[in-house]
Amino acid sequence: MSTLLMLTSALQPSVEVLPGLALLGHSVKILPAEAAALLEAPEADLLLVDGRQDLAHARDLCRLIRTTGTDVPVLLVVTEGGLAVVAHDWGMDDVVLHTCGPAELEARIRLAIGRLAAARDAADPEAHVIRSGEVVVDDASYTAKVGGRSLDLTFKEFELLKYLAQHPGRVFSRQQLLQEVWGYDYFGGTRTVDVHVRRLRAKLGPENETLIGTVRNVGYRFVLPARSTETAPADLAQLEGSLEGS
């Protein structure tokens, strides 16, 4: 699930601007299609600019977004008539018809976000490495380690660990994990998630199995070990005392 930011001056909800969004599981936030709104815009994986009614304003807004230095993908929502005039120098990454179906919309969102991720990976060789506590997941080589020890994981176990480690502390329901790791076209039950979590914990070992925490009646989350901040003041006082006595 991605976080999408829609810039629109319409009074209708986002599903009226782009009906295909209603059948997708993305989180959509709405902001007015104004330059001032960009100043306090929350972080998002992708921007949707509504160009159905005022295409010239949408064009200027797309260009303005690019001047801010952000590399977040921009999708311009247009009507059939708008397709005849859009040009490459408008600053958007892709154009989508407001009537497009959910499958096409999902593909365009996924590809746009994927292109950005690939560009960032190329610019930063460490971008594909996820580090959460002692867990290190290399998305490029499909390897995972905990405390320097390599883990022998199946593909789905790797994907599950990677997804949880990418969002430490966040709680995911079994249904969410099923959709994100196994995909929307998977027809198995949520019991599959429980089985893979159990196997993953076994491979992490007794000393690390608590990294995947269970939230009763909700789902699972990746738990980062708490730093021993509570003992730090006592250790400091002991060190100061030893210095004074010397």
Side-chain angles (χ1 to χ4, degrees):
M1 181 179 69
S2 301
T3 299
L4 312 180
L5 190 62
M6 177 175 285
L7 303 177
T8 178
S9 298
L11 298 179
Q12 309 107 317
S14 60
V15 293
E16 295 295 330
V17 177
L18 201 55
L21 277 177
L23 298 177
L24 302 178
H26 301 296
S27 171
V28 183
K29 300 178 181 179
I30 306 295
L31 281 181
E34 301 172 359
L38 296 173
L39 298 176
E40 298 182 358
E43 291 187 2
D45 299 307
L46 181 139
L47 300 179
L48 292 161
V49 177
D50 182 9
R52 298 171 305 149
Q53 298 176 354
D54 191 343
L55 194 56
H57 177 69
R59 175 201 61 199
D60 294 341
L61 189 58
C62 288
R63 289 173 173 171
L64 179 62
I65 290 171
R66 288 304 173 220
T67 66
T68 64
T70 181
D71 59 354
V72 174
V74 177
L75 261 62
L76 177 61
V77 182
V78 297
T79 62
E80 288 275 1
L83 287 178
V85 296
V86 291
H88 72 281
D89 62 348
W90 285 21
M92 71 286 183
D93 295 272
D94 201 355
V95 178
V96 60
L97 278 174
H98 70 106
T99 55
C100 76
E104 178 186 349
L105 180 57
E106 176 66 21
R108 291 182 181 274
I109 291 172
R110 184 176 66 252
L111 290 172
I113 294 176
R115 284 192 293 267
L116 173 61
R120 288 175 174 175
D121 286 350
D124 181 7
E126 283 288 303
H128 60 272
V129 178
I130 303 163
R131 303 178 189 274
S132 290
E134 292 193 345
V135 173
V136 179
V137 178
D138 190 328
D139 195 20
S141 63
Y142 278 87
T143 58
K145 296 181 179 180
V146 57
R149 174 174 60 87
S150 295
L151 299 174
D152 183 16
L153 304 178
T154 65
F155 177 73
K156 286 304 182 185
E157 289 167 355
F158 175 85
E159 289 293 315
L160 179 59
L161 177 62
K162 181 186 75 172
Y163 190 75
L164 290 171
Q166 281 177 316
H167 308 88
R170 182 175 170 183
V171 180
F172 294 96
S173 69
R174 291 167 175 81
Q175 186 62 41
Q176 285 177 313
L177 291 173
L178 203 63
Q179 292 177 350
E180 296 294 339
V181 178
W182 278 263
Y184 287 92
D185 56 349
Y186 181 76
F187 293 103
T190 55
R191 178 64 178 165
T192 299
V193 177
D194 296 329
V195 171
H196 280 73
V197 166
R198 186 170 65 251
R199 292 173 179 170
L200 189 52
R201 282 172 171 163
K203 292 183 178 182
L204 286 170
E207 68 280 9
N208 294 300
E209 62 180 8
T210 55
L211 288 174
I212 302 179
T214 301
V215 180
R216 188 177 179 86
N217 297 325
V218 181
Y220 299 102
R221 66 189 177 104
F222 190 88
V223 181
L224 284 177
R227 296 174 181 249
S228 54
T229 53
E230 296 181 358
T231 59
D235 293 341
L236 181 58
Q238 182 179 2
L239 176 60
E240 291 174 345
S242 63
L243 290 175
E244 290 175 358
S246 59

